[in-house]
Amino acid sequence: MILDEAVTDARLATWEFDGARGWLEEARQHPMEPLAAEVWVTDPAFEYVLLVKHRVRGWVPPGGKVEPGEGPRAAAARELLEETGLRTELLPEPAAVAVRSYRADWSPTLGLSYAAIVGRDVPLGGEQDQPAAWFRLDADWDSVFPEDRERIRAYAGRLAAGRAVGSR
């Protein structure tokens, strides 16, 4: 079942924000709003993040709604392809799980953040009205979710530290 996959990935996520795991357990008792999935794409040096320009939300990681019958990981990969033209393997462990409202008139919903590492030399495609661009992780970008900047920076730092330890 799709919700079971979301619960499993929420438990595996490196970080939890907004009391997401508890929120998910409570939400499972009622009809649930659509799940959301996104991908935090960094370059191999962990200095840049790939974002897309959303017409309302500003610069955000590629992502969107999990469609009926689709798992959150598959949705994240699909959204990444649609919005950036990138077809790449997502890292095995989800980066984060959070609860947020994507529009003022929507109920809060669970969002799973997956991660991928892609070279900045790979050509970008995607949706014309929602361009993708690389941003330095130490820069600021305009977004309705400003907390994402620190979350993504911290996660990239964790990946970089893990790579440094593993390369010895």
Side-chain angles (χ1 to χ4, degrees):
M1 186 173 163
I2 301 308
L3 193 52
D4 292 338
E5 183 182 333
V7 169
T8 298
D9 278 356
R11 289 182 182 140
L12 290 174
T14 300
W15 281 316
E16 173 192 15
F17 301 107
D18 317 311
R21 292 180 183 122
W23 180 91
L24 179 57
E25 289 303 319
E26 176 65 27
R28 291 177 75 184
Q29 309 305 315
H30 313 286
M32 198 165 154
E33 292 297 315
L35 296 170
E38 65 184 13
V39 184
W40 295 354
V41 181
T42 61
D43 69 313
F46 306 107
E47 295 175 354
Y48 288 83
V49 62
L50 181 63
L51 302 171
V52 294
K53 176 75 168 157
H54 188 272
R55 66 187 177 284
V56 175
R57 297 182 195 120
W59 290 100
V60 295
K65 182 175 127 180
V66 177
E67 298 295 337
E70 180 180 50
R73 179 175 289 274
R78 175 186 51 77
E79 289 285 351
L80 179 64
L81 178 61
E82 290 175 0
E83 294 182 1
T84 69
L86 295 177
R87 185 184 312 268
T88 189
E89 190 172 328
L90 303 180
L91 297 181
E93 185 178 270
V97 59
V99 175
R100 65 173 37 151
S101 184
Y102 290 89
R103 283 186 22 183
D105 59 336
W106 289 0
S107 300
T109 191
L110 187 81
L112 283 156
S113 302
Y114 296 90
I117 300 169
V118 175
R120 290 182 39 235
D121 58 338
V122 175
L124 299 176
E127 301 170 352
Q128 225 173 355
D129 61 337
Q130 193 166 287
W134 289 98
F135 283 80
R136 286 195 57 85
L137 277 168
D138 59 3
D140 285 339
W141 56 84
D142 181 39
S143 174
V144 298
F145 303 121
E147 65 277 8
D148 282 356
R149 287 190 292 269
E150 286 308 314
R151 293 174 179 182
I152 295 169
R153 286 175 186 147
Y155 184 74
R158 184 177 186 274
L159 288 177
R163 289 285 164 103
V165 169
S167 64
R168 289 186 182 157

